[in-house]
């Protein structure tokens, strides 16, 4: 069975775009592979959260992923900072990571541009920490989006360099997890591109959104005055509404509104009312689960402790072996 590692950024709640993207991939992988999923809270320190925010963000993200179906019995689900072995491997890898290559990383250059007053060493060495996350469990596969491909390439570089330096075949070179079928891209409600939390208020529907909030967001979604001729292609904003309907409504409902559109009889107010109702129904089980888990401290504690224990077992073995290879000996 292949080993899969993936880090989750502790930022915000899950929205439908996350759910139909990364989360559904996790759900599929967790029963087919030996998965290590962790919340990357060390990484998040590069942007200096307050102590209250740090814990709150980690907790919220953990609850969201559990509610979305991540199964802590099937995979190893843990908090990165509960596994200090990661930081030791990070330190060791940093000794063989060069300033030039770290400075050339696209995500680093972007941060330098975006936060010129906080170009800390953690940002520079973000790829070594990520490499440590991955190779500490000897991962074969990492599910990454386009924005993380360069980091994964660096991980292979560091793993390889270590092997050559000590003339061992110790670390595995991790590859990107390939998802056979095409992912559905979930559009946002603002008429433009995809659903995202940074695209502005009201663009994303979160799994935790209350029915009132969902109603407000959907009713405010961008539309237009409707088609003037039958069977015309749909403008982007309208196609977005139909795509959202495709994922949360029944095929009959979708057919009904398509027919209305094609015969120029569509009333977007009616369509949005239907979409609101179906959206509320689709997200209801997640909302309930989020509330249920959030109220169960004992369960959360158990999940986190069990995850840490399982992750540390694997991580400690790697660090022990790496120390041997490097030449640390006990007296
Ligand atoms: N860099 C990833 C992101 O921004 C998060 C991450 C940290 C990660 N460590 C990882 C992803 C290890 C995969 C494997 O989304």
């Amino acid at each position: 069975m292949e080993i899969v590692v993936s880090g989750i950024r502790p930022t915000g709640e899950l929205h439908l775009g996350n759910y139909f993207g990364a989360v559904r991939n996790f759900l599929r992988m967790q029963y087919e592979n030996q998965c290590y999923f962790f919340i990357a809270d060390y990484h998040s320190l590069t942007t200096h959260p307050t102590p209250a925010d740090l814990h709150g963000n980690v907790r919220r993200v953990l609850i969201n992923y559990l509610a979305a179906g991540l199964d802590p019995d099937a995979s190893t689900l843990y908090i990165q900072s509960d596994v200090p072995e990661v930081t030791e491997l990070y330190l060791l890898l940093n000794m063989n990571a060069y300033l030039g290559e770290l400075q050339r990383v696209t995500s680093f250059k972007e941060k330098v541009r975006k936060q010129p007053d906080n170009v800390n060493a953690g940002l520079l060495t973000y790829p070594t920490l990520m490499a440590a996350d991955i190779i500490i469990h000897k991962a074969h596969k990492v599910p990454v989006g386009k924005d993380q491909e360069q980091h994964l390439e660096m991980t292979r570089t560091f793993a390889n360099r270590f092997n050559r330096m000590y003339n061992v075949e110790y670390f595995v070179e991790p590859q990107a997890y390939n998802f056979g079928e095409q992912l559905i891209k979930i559009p946002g409600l603002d008429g433009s591109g995809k659903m995202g939390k940074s695209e502005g208020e009201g663009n994303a529907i979160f799994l935790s959104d209350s029915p009132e909030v969902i109603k407000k967001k959907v009713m405010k979604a961008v539309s237009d005055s409707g088609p003037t001729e039958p069977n015309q292609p749909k403008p982007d904003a309208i196609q977005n509404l139909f795509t959202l309907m495709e994922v949360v409504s029944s095929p009959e409902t979708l057919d009904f509104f398509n027919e209305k559109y094609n015969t120029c009889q569509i009333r977007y107010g009616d369509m949005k009312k239907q979409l609101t109702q179906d959206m509320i129904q689709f997200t209801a089980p997640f909302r309930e689960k989020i509330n249920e888990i959030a109220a169960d401290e004992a369960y959360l504690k158990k999940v986190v402790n069990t995850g840490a224990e399982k992750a540390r077992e694997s991580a400690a073995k790697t660090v022990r072996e790496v120390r041997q290879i490097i030449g640390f000996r006990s007296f």
Side-chain angles (χ1 to χ4, degrees):
M1 194 147 42
E2 286 196 313
I3 299 172
V4 172
V5 168
S6 191
I8 300 164
R9 263 179 269 178
T11 48
E13 312 262 343
L14 286 173
H15 54 65
L16 283 180
N18 301 134
Y19 180 72
F20 284 102
V23 177
R24 282 241 300 231
N25 289 339
F26 281 12
L27 301 188
R28 219 172 301 148
M29 285 183 298
Q30 67 182 345
Y31 299 114
E32 291 168 9
N33 303 277
Q34 188 185 337
C35 292
Y36 292 88
F37 298 127
F38 66 94
I39 298 177
D41 57 347
Y42 279 141
H43 275 111
S44 77
L45 296 184
T46 53
T47 55
H48 298 174
T50 66
D53 283 347
L54 180 62
H55 182 71
N57 292 343
V58 169
R59 188 174 187 279
R60 196 172 326 110
V61 167
L62 176 67
I63 292 170
N64 265 262
Y65 273 83
L66 287 168
L70 223 64
D71 179 352
D73 293 325
S75 54
T76 301
L77 177 59
Y78 64 101
I79 316 293
Q80 186 185 30
S81 63
D82 279 343
V83 184
E85 287 80 2
V86 168
T87 60
E88 185 169 350
L89 185 58
Y90 164 63
L91 176 140
L92 298 172
L93 292 178
N94 270 334
M95 303 304 167
N96 309 327
Y98 296 100
L99 183 61
E101 63 186 343
L102 293 171
Q103 280 174 325
R104 278 195 298 275
V105 174
T106 310
S107 63
F108 177 70
K109 290 195 285 193
E110 220 165 84
K111 289 284 183 188
V112 172
R113 224 178 312 121
K114 278 197 192 144
Q115 49 182 75
D117 298 330
N118 183 20
V119 184
N120 58 66
L123 275 181
L124 181 72
T125 57
Y126 189 108
T128 39
L129 181 53
M130 181 158 158
D133 291 329
I134 295 168
I135 67 179
I136 205 158
H137 301 302
K138 310 256 187 78
H140 303 105
K141 291 280 157 67
V142 183
V144 287
K146 268 252 166 293
D147 63 325
Q148 299 297 316
E149 268 170 15
Q150 194 180 19
H151 290 154
L152 190 57
E153 184 61 43
M154 300 280 291
T155 302
R156 286 191 284 268
T157 301
F158 297 141
N160 241 320
R161 190 174 291 159
F162 181 93
N163 288 350
R164 268 189 286 112
M165 195 146 188
Y166 297 104
N167 200 21
V168 289
E169 277 186 46
Y170 185 70
F171 283 122
V172 176
E173 269 193 51
Q175 305 298 326
Y177 198 104
N178 223 334
F179 295 98
E181 72 192 84
Q182 186 97 33
L183 287 177
I184 325 168
K185 226 200 233 118
I186 305 298
L189 293 166
D190 65 358
S192 60
K194 64 174 193 176
M195 187 174 281
K197 64 173 164 17
S198 47
E199 325 294 328
E201 192 71 33
N203 182 47
I205 301 284
F206 295 95
L207 299 183
S208 58
D209 276 347
S210 69
E212 298 75 49
V213 168
I214 292 176
K215 182 168 180 209
K216 218 193 267 161
K217 287 180 179 172
V218 175
M219 294 314 283
K220 270 216 251 168
V222 174
S223 62
D224 59 22
S225 52
T228 50
E229 281 175 67
N231 302 312
Q232 287 299 300
K234 300 182 180 98
D236 287 349
I238 303 305
Q239 182 55 51
N240 288 354
L241 293 179
F242 276 90
T243 305
L244 288 168
M245 192 165 245
E246 203 176 316
V247 295
V248 300
S249 304
S250 72
E252 293 74 29
T253 302
L254 186 67
D255 287 348
F256 175 83
F257 285 100
N258 259 318
E259 168 70 18
K260 291 278 179 208
Y261 181 87
N262 286 329
T263 53
C264 303
Q265 299 175 71
I266 191 143
R267 293 185 4 198
Y268 291 124
D270 292 347
M271 182 180 181
K272 286 181 183 178
K273 253 187 225 151
Q274 182 69 47
L275 185 58
T276 298
Q277 196 182 319
D278 294 342
M279 197 75 98
I280 290 171
Q281 201 178 7
F282 181 86
T283 52
F286 297 111
R287 201 159 41 246
E288 281 160 24
K289 202 93 196 137
I290 286 171
N291 293 334
E292 185 189 312
I293 297 172
D296 195 345
E297 286 311 322
Y299 173 70
L300 281 171
K301 206 180 171 85
K302 197 185 95 202
V303 166
V304 166
N305 287 343
T306 310
E309 205 177 298
K310 284 198 277 180
R312 287 194 76 174
E313 199 179 301
S314 152
K317 178 171 184 288
T318 302
V319 169
R320 205 165 46 237
E321 290 166 355
V322 164
R323 289 177 64 107
Q324 272 294 321
I325 293 169
I326 291 178
F328 291 106
R329 299 279 185 273
S330 47
F331 283 89

